[in-house]
Amino acid sequence: LCVLALLAAVARASFSDTVPPRLRGGLMYRHIVAHERKALQSFNLATNSTPNYYAQLIDHSNPARGTFNQKYYVDYSQWDPATGPVFLYIGGEGPVSSSPGGYTAVVGAQYRALLITLEHRYYGVSLPAPLT
């Protein structure tokens, strides 16, 4: 998965998830969210909610320190194995619970991409060590 991190970095899950609550409700916001919903429906996208775990090195400079389980999701639903690229969505400052939705899913469907969501270390269950 480390190599995949170099392949692509795509937008957050959806526009509506990234807008602070105090800015929601305006005319432009409602227009963009309605457009986003329409785009998602037109692609008939399904998210993958089955987590996978990768034995990630705690310290890449010192493999003897061991590994931890880093959570990720793989969404093959729109992928064309012959021509489709791989889009890697790296979760931000919070846990991930499924393959990406919103803009990432729409662009992934347009490009017939394989979507991989990687939970950022120290968020969710991807903890290299207990937080004390």
Side-chain angles (χ1 to χ4, degrees):
L1 287 177
C2 291
V3 173
L4 293 176
L6 300 175
L7 295 177
V10 290
R12 289 191 57 84
S14 73
F15 172 79
S16 57
D17 292 338
T18 62
V19 175
R22 69 183 186 284
L23 300 177
R24 297 177 187 175
L27 182 61
M28 179 60 79
Y29 174 81
R30 290 193 309 267
H31 173 76
I32 292 172
V33 169
H35 179 74
E36 181 181 74
R37 285 188 187 129
K38 184 178 178 184
L40 286 172
Q41 290 170 353
S42 70
F43 285 106
N44 190 25
L45 301 175
T47 59
N48 179 355
S49 59
T50 304
N52 300 284
Y53 296 91
Y54 174 74
Q56 182 67 267
L57 289 171
I58 292 172
D59 183 347
H60 294 276
S61 299
N62 184 3
R65 292 197 57 204
T67 62
F68 70 98
N69 287 330
Q70 189 164 19
K71 184 165 68 170
Y72 69 97
Y73 295 87
V74 180
D75 185 349
Y76 299 93
S77 65
Q78 303 291 322
W79 186 41
D80 178 358
T83 61
V86 175
F87 288 174
L88 175 64
Y89 172 83
I90 301 175
E93 296 178 351
V96 296
S97 58
S98 70
S99 58
Y103 178 75
T104 305
V106 170
V107 173
Q110 288 174 340
Y111 285 91
R112 308 284 296 158
L114 172 67
L115 301 177
I116 299 173
T117 305
L118 180 66
E119 185 170 74
H120 197 286
R121 65 170 59 201
Y122 290 108
Y123 292 95
V125 297
S126 298
L127 300 173
L131 298 177
T132 57

